[in-house]
Amino acid sequence: MTTKRVALHTLGCKVNQYEADAFLNIFLQNGYEAVDFADQADVYLIHTCTVTHLGDRKSRQLIRRAVKNNPDALIVVSGCYAQVAPEEVAKIPGVDLIVGTQDRGKILELLEEAKRKKEPINAVRDIMHTHDFEELSRQHTGKERAFLKIEEGCQQFCSYCIIPFARGPVRSREPQRTIQEVQQLVSQGYKEIVLTGIHTGAYGQDLGSPYNLNWLIIELSKTPGLKRLRLSSLDPNEFTEDFIETLAANPIICPHLHISLQSGDDDVLRRMNRRYTTTAFAKLVFKLRQKIADLALTTDIMVGFPGETAKQHENSLHFVEEMGFAALHVFKYSPRQGTKAAQFPDRISPEIKEKRSQEMLCLGEKLAVQFKQKYLGRKMEILVETKHKRLWEGHTTNYLKLKFPSDEELRGELVQVSLEQICSDYILGKLV
């Protein structure tokens, strides 16, 4: 009997990657062999993103590529683009199954139904009425860093963002299941756990007292053998005094925080429905840096929001420079149908958006070098992850990427490295 083959391609965020790994696990446990997306497969799964129109376009291109690879294959489309635009996806020739962002555990059952009926199945349901966190089993590989999804959904409704419509309301993973999985991962040899979610800081909103992200990280940090606990993106409004004290007092929590800014201009922030000011953001940054040694702050910045003036863009550049971020994720505004900002007047031209994007990216590169320079000559601990030729690569707790030469087998180990030279996006070091 010939082994069936499955090929996956994932677009978008860390949560999408986490879910794609869970999909792969389902197929592997049911006798499938995983192959490269460019190869011949019996099933192609495209796990889509819809944060920007570029994500939508890439998703459509991948679907067409899969059909071209093997016209007889079953084509499955899942994820955020599939959730918000299933009718659009269904019009693409060759699509057999559309799953969206729920019922993912039923994928093989739905595939069998599509084969039986010999017609496409749109299994997308209204996500806004979903109230349970969907458990997805992943096959963790390696012993370095494990991602753990603890939360699903978002209720912020920023004026530019389609994600609340793609992911639905906040649903938190059951606390004991989260604690047990961390214990299991540590027992398997993992040194670092990264907590992730669609709106990670909203963890526990649907569970009631005492459950929140602060409670969870305190509990997880008690896990015997856990060396590092890293948090994914957080909102400025989620930093209570108790939370800041927990971050500062617990050596297991990595001093690396990604706090989404989006704009350094107050009027743009107000129209984005971001619910904080640059003054409040700056006060938070000052407090965090006072409390947490070697803190790396990274952020998201959007350019070209409707109505953004040249002066407002300049304000954003100045504020970002003032904050001294270690890295920037820069996005050009992309209108998403169904969001408030899609109806806003005064759209910015693609040419101006590109110019502003390049200016912000250049600033980001400058800030990244300045941040790295502060650590030259220091000895720091890194978690060794991969090797290219003779250079091992890994990250410090504050997420500096380091490379160093060694012939020893060090994958998954925590080692001390002397930081010696900045090389493009990493620091070259020497094993101590």
Side-chain angles (χ1 to χ4, degrees):
M1 182 177 166
T2 308
T3 303
K4 290 179 287 187
R5 292 161 300 176
V6 61
L8 275 76
H9 198 296
T10 307
L11 296 163
C13 63
K14 290 283 195 303
V15 172
N16 257 20
Q17 187 58 61
Y18 181 96
E19 293 166 349
D21 290 347
F23 274 132
L24 183 59
N25 191 42
I26 292 171
F27 281 101
L28 294 179
Q29 286 187 340
N30 285 273
Y32 279 78
E33 174 195 354
V35 299
D36 189 87
F37 199 80
D39 296 339
Q40 283 265 312
D42 301 289
V43 176
Y44 291 91
L45 191 151
I46 300 96
H47 199 41
T48 63
C49 173
T50 193
V51 168
T52 67
H53 70 274
L54 188 62
D56 293 355
R57 192 169 77 211
K58 282 183 179 176
S59 300
R60 292 191 293 268
Q61 287 171 346
L62 285 163
I63 294 165
R64 294 186 180 107
R65 192 191 306 170
V67 173
K68 191 175 179 182
N69 286 351
N70 182 4
D72 297 324
L74 289 163
I75 310 296
V76 184
V77 186
S78 59
C80 292
Y81 176 49
Q83 181 68 43
V84 299
E87 293 84 5
E88 201 172 291
V89 172
K91 288 177 184 173
I92 303 171
V95 172
D96 296 287
L97 174 62
I98 307 163
V99 180
T101 57
Q102 54 190 325
D103 298 327
R104 291 160 293 197
K106 300 177 182 174
I107 187 162
L108 291 181
E109 180 186 323
L110 291 165
L111 262 178
E112 287 302 316
E113 187 181 342
K115 274 199 284 188
R116 209 169 45 246
K117 288 186 173 178
K118 296 187 175 162
E119 61 181 41
I121 290 179
N122 178 0
V124 174
R125 295 186 292 116
D126 185 355
I127 196 75
M128 305 311 283
H129 298 298
T130 300
H131 301 290
D132 296 320
F133 181 90
E134 184 180 19
E135 286 287 343
L136 293 169
S137 173
R138 289 176 78 224
Q139 187 68 46
H140 292 279
T141 57
K143 296 258 174 90
E144 304 89 43
R145 178 182 295 114
F147 288 86
L148 189 63
K149 183 179 166 187
I150 62 167
E151 181 276 341
E152 175 71 273
C154 180
Q155 290 158 205
Q156 294 289 89
F157 290 98
C158 299
S159 64
Y160 54 82
C161 187
I162 195 68
I163 296 305
F165 303 97
R167 292 283 181 167
V170 168
R171 287 99 71 203
S172 304
R173 193 179 191 198
E174 203 273 321
Q176 286 309 312
R177 296 190 79 149
T178 305
I179 292 167
Q180 285 164 9
E181 184 164 1
V182 168
Q183 291 170 344
Q184 181 187 357
L185 289 167
V186 172
S187 72
Q188 291 171 8
Y190 284 94
K191 305 288 196 306
E192 179 176 310
I193 308 294
V194 185
L195 302 183
T196 188
I198 296 299
H199 183 185
T200 311
Y203 180 85
Q205 278 184 8
D206 54 326
L207 300 178
S209 182
Y211 304 112
N212 56 30
L213 185 59
N214 188 47
W215 178 92
L216 183 65
I217 62 176
I218 289 171
E219 291 304 307
L220 294 180
S221 66
K222 297 173 185 174
T223 307
L226 177 60
K227 302 297 184 184
R228 294 180 176 184
L229 187 62
R230 195 180 296 277
L231 305 177
S232 61
S233 183
L234 297 167
D235 188 275
N237 294 323
E238 288 152 4
F239 287 84
T240 63
E241 290 297 329
D242 285 348
F243 188 38
I244 293 171
E245 287 303 321
T246 298
L247 297 175
N250 199 320
I252 285 176
I253 301 167
C254 293
H256 165 226
L257 297 170
H258 187 87
I259 308 175
S260 188
L261 173 63
Q262 298 299 350
S263 175
D265 179 87
D266 285 339
D267 187 55
V268 175
L269 286 173
R270 180 183 57 76
R271 288 185 292 113
M272 285 179 165
N273 196 30
R274 288 296 292 170
R275 302 184 183 91
Y276 54 83
T277 63
T278 53
T279 300
F281 194 99
K283 282 181 180 175
L284 171 63
V285 167
F286 179 76
K287 189 180 294 185
L288 289 168
R289 285 191 172 134
Q290 273 191 316
K291 301 265 187 181
I292 304 172
D294 291 327
L295 177 63
L297 283 174
T298 58
T299 198
D300 301 313
I301 290 289
M302 183 181 291
V303 298
F305 188 72
E308 181 188 59
T309 63
K311 173 63 175 160
Q312 288 169 340
H313 172 63
E314 284 297 319
N315 290 345
S316 207
L317 285 167
H318 290 316
F319 186 75
V320 166
E321 185 160 24
E322 186 186 333
M323 290 301 98
F325 293 107
L328 304 181
H329 295 166
V330 180
F331 301 88
K332 289 178 275 194
Y333 170 75
S334 181
R336 304 282 75 204
Q337 188 176 352
T339 62
K340 284 187 177 179
Q343 308 303 318
F344 288 178
D346 303 321
R347 291 273 180 90
I348 309 300
S349 73
E351 294 77 20
I352 292 175
K353 278 198 278 191
E354 179 60 28
K355 179 175 177 289
R356 292 179 184 176
S357 174
Q358 289 304 317
E359 288 171 351
M360 195 64 79
L361 286 166
C362 286
L363 174 58
E365 288 170 11
K366 178 178 124 180
L367 293 176
V369 170
Q370 288 175 357
F371 184 74
K372 289 173 189 148
Q373 283 172 336
K374 294 192 292 185
Y375 293 91
L376 291 179
R378 289 263 305 263
K379 293 182 181 68
M380 299 185 78
E381 181 188 80
I382 79 161
L383 176 60
V384 185
E385 297 158 32
T386 58
K387 190 175 190 180
H388 303 286
K389 298 182 180 175
R390 283 195 66 244
L391 287 181
W392 284 103
E393 179 182 306
H395 288 82
T396 61
T397 54
N398 63 353
Y399 218 60
L400 286 167
K401 190 197 322 188
L402 267 63
K403 294 186 181 184
F404 65 95
S406 177
D407 294 326
E408 297 178 59
E409 177 50 53
L410 296 170
R411 191 184 307 275
E413 297 297 319
L414 291 165
V415 299
Q416 290 287 325
V417 174
S418 171
L419 283 63
E420 298 190 335
Q421 181 186 347
I422 297 172
C423 303
S424 64
D425 68 334
Y426 68 92
I427 298 175
L428 185 65
K430 183 169 67 178
L431 192 62
V432 177

